[in-house]
Amino acid sequence: MLQILYLAQDLADPAVRRRILTLVAGGAKVTLAGFRRDVNSLAATHGIEPIELGVTADGRFAQRIGAIASACLSLKSKLANVGKPDLIIARNLEMLAVAKRAVALFGGGVPIVYECLDIHRLLLRKDVVGRALRATEAHLGRDARWLITSSPAFIEHYFRPLSGLDAPALLLENKVLEIDGPADRIADSAQCPVPGPPWKIGWFGALRCSKSLALLADFSRKMEGRFEIVLRGRPAYSEFEDFDAFVRNEPFMSFEGAYRNPEDLADIYGGVHFTWAIDFFEEGQNSAWLLPNRLYEGCRYGRVPIAMKGTETARFLSVRGIGLVLEEANAESLAALLGPMTPDRYIEATEGVAQCNPGTWVFDRTDCEALVRRLTALAAETPETMPTPAVPKPRHNEGGLL
């Protein structure tokens, strides 16, 4: 059985829980260690007690550097009861530093996989700060055997031209984890509201984009209740002046709290018509390149995605001939896109989503096992016997792996 030490930047991140479930379903034994940012009981994984390396704060980069340094100093005692793993997966840049320290403590010979699913804006700066961070990433990642990332645009726009990393890339899209296998029909387990007003737009997951919040609020007021906005997930409170008060004062917007992923997805998507698959958090950079979780989740349950023109998400939808694309980031443009919506037009749009292969949206037990087999083969290789990696494809691959 493959023994994996998984190092997470945020133990409260539901995406970390989903990755652990993926690896366990694939047949691996996983030890989870990482930093705690806040309390989120919904991110707990049954049977796995994480090793806490310290506490970090969202948006406080300097504090996180100090926490990493402290964790590296105390890592020997933290991992005292952990046997030497076959493989270490380091999620995000700061965990690469911890991974390097862990390899040294285990006596060397443990391959590292670097998992990077977002490109932080600091890494893209053209000044000395950006250059220093990219140099740090290249240094820490020089021995990484693989790079796991979730969008081909990350490879195209950052990892190839800027990062300095030589590790072969594995594309692992943010698909919905369904360990018991994909459904035969896309929308089989989610009941859709009756097509018609009030139309409901769901914005679920990591809520960190103040521009999206303001745009959706303006739009819903402009449409005078014909469209309602439903928010679910984890708000990044550091990115909003007062998220709770803002939502409370919006007549056509509601926040309905956190949820378990993937267990609650059918219920929450069953209450909306559209998925907000737009993010302006790092506009023109990470936000333009990512393929968000909510894209796959919404389409898995037959909901119509809304993407922003010029983004990787819009290109993804265009290839498949589905979804709606917003031309300009304002309430007027969104009203022009959605205002003429009719039940017939909506049903036609959902049928387009339903015609896609379920494997486009779902990562099942077979996929989990295939991933763990690849990781097992990687752990068995030595640098001298590793084959020359295939060049990653620049665009989409239905199987999710490159």
Side-chain angles (χ1 to χ4, degrees):
M1 177 179 286
L2 183 68
Q3 309 284 323
I4 297 176
L5 172 60
Y6 192 95
L7 300 175
Q9 87 292 357
D10 181 6
L11 294 172
D13 185 350
V16 169
R17 175 179 183 267
R18 192 167 65 250
R19 182 66 79 234
I20 300 302
L21 291 173
T22 296
L23 296 169
V24 171
K29 181 178 180 181
V30 181
T31 299
L32 174 62
F35 294 101
R36 178 78 61 187
R37 289 194 189 174
D38 57 34
V39 176
N40 179 14
S41 60
L42 297 182
T45 304
H46 179 72
I48 293 182
E49 186 66 32
I51 300 169
E52 293 198 17
L53 303 180
V55 177
T56 57
D58 190 28
R60 294 178 58 190
F61 193 70
Q63 188 270 339
R64 284 161 63 181
I65 292 176
I68 294 162
S70 177
C72 287
L73 291 173
S74 63
L75 197 61
K76 184 175 182 178
S77 62
K78 296 282 187 179
L79 300 181
N81 297 320
V82 177
K84 185 175 182 177
D86 301 309
L87 186 78
I88 296 175
I89 299 179
R91 190 181 180 102
N92 283 15
L93 174 56
E94 59 258 50
M95 304 317 295
L96 267 179
V98 180
K100 296 275 282 188
R101 174 62 177 156
V103 169
L105 291 173
F106 288 124
V110 182
I112 296 173
V113 172
Y114 177 32
E115 183 174 23
C116 183
L117 308 185
D118 283 296
I119 312 300
H120 197 282
R121 59 185 177 272
L122 292 178
L123 285 164
L124 297 167
R125 284 174 54 160
K126 298 179 180 179
D127 59 9
V128 65
V129 173
R131 290 193 296 272
L133 282 174
R134 289 192 296 274
T136 299
E137 182 183 53
H139 172 72
L140 293 174
R142 65 184 177 182
D143 297 325
R145 297 284 189 85
W146 272 0
L147 163 71
I148 292 178
T149 194
S150 57
S151 170
F154 290 153
I155 300 170
E156 181 179 347
H157 295 290
Y158 177 71
F159 288 113
R160 279 179 176 166
L162 293 175
S163 72
L165 292 171
D166 293 326
L170 178 73
L171 181 63
L172 205 56
E173 297 172 79
N174 291 314
K175 297 184 181 184
V176 178
L177 179 62
E178 294 192 1
I179 294 173
D180 294 326
D184 293 330
R185 295 176 60 248
I186 287 294
D188 67 335
S189 58
Q191 297 298 317
C192 183
V194 175
W199 299 100
K200 295 188 177 183
I201 301 173
W203 180 22
F204 304 146
L207 308 179
R208 59 184 184 177
C209 178
S210 59
K211 184 172 179 177
S212 284
L213 188 67
L215 193 162
L216 289 168
D218 290 346
F219 165 73
S220 63
R221 285 178 179 262
K222 184 179 183 67
M223 303 307 291
E224 298 179 335
R226 286 188 60 229
F227 286 80
E228 297 177 356
I229 315 302
V230 182
L231 312 178
R232 294 290 302 264
R234 296 175 69 209
Y237 285 101
S238 62
E239 302 300 326
F240 303 97
E241 185 173 337
D242 190 334
F243 175 86
D244 293 326
F246 183 94
V247 174
R248 228 177 8 251
N249 291 328
E250 289 300 317
F252 309 114
M253 179 178 284
S254 62
F255 175 58
E256 299 181 6
Y259 57 91
R260 286 172 64 86
N261 186 335
E263 292 89 341
D264 297 338
L265 294 181
D267 287 338
I268 67 173
Y269 282 98
V272 300
H273 300 93
F274 302 94
T275 302
W276 185 254
I278 295 176
D279 182 7
F280 303 105
F281 179 63
E282 291 175 348
E283 196 168 0
Q285 298 177 338
N286 188 73
S287 293
W289 304 335
L290 58 76
L291 293 173
N293 292 291
R294 58 183 69 95
L295 166 67
Y296 300 89
E297 295 166 0
C299 289
R300 160 64 184 91
Y301 293 105
R303 302 306 172 252
V304 179
I306 304 170
M308 188 68 215
K309 180 181 178 180
T311 64
E312 185 70 7
T313 303
R315 285 189 285 270
F316 182 97
L317 297 178
S318 176
V319 167
R320 292 156 178 80
I322 61 174
L324 302 172
V325 175
L326 182 62
E327 292 288 324
E328 298 180 18
N330 55 55
E332 290 72 24
S333 183
L334 188 55
L337 178 67
L338 293 180
M341 185 60 59
T342 64
D344 287 344
R345 183 185 170 201
Y346 178 77
I347 291 171
E348 182 181 359
T350 60
E351 288 176 347
V353 174
Q355 288 172 4
C356 293
N357 187 317
T360 306
W361 320 116
V362 170
F363 202 80
D364 64 14
R365 185 179 295 276
T366 300
D367 296 316
C368 297
E369 292 170 348
L371 173 61
V372 171
R373 282 197 301 271
R374 296 189 70 174
L375 292 171
T376 300
L378 175 69
E381 293 169 353
T382 64
E384 293 76 17
T385 62
M386 286 180 64
T388 301
V391 177
K393 298 177 182 178
R395 287 294 164 203
H396 311 290
N397 180 304
E398 289 288 356
L401 302 178
L402 294 178

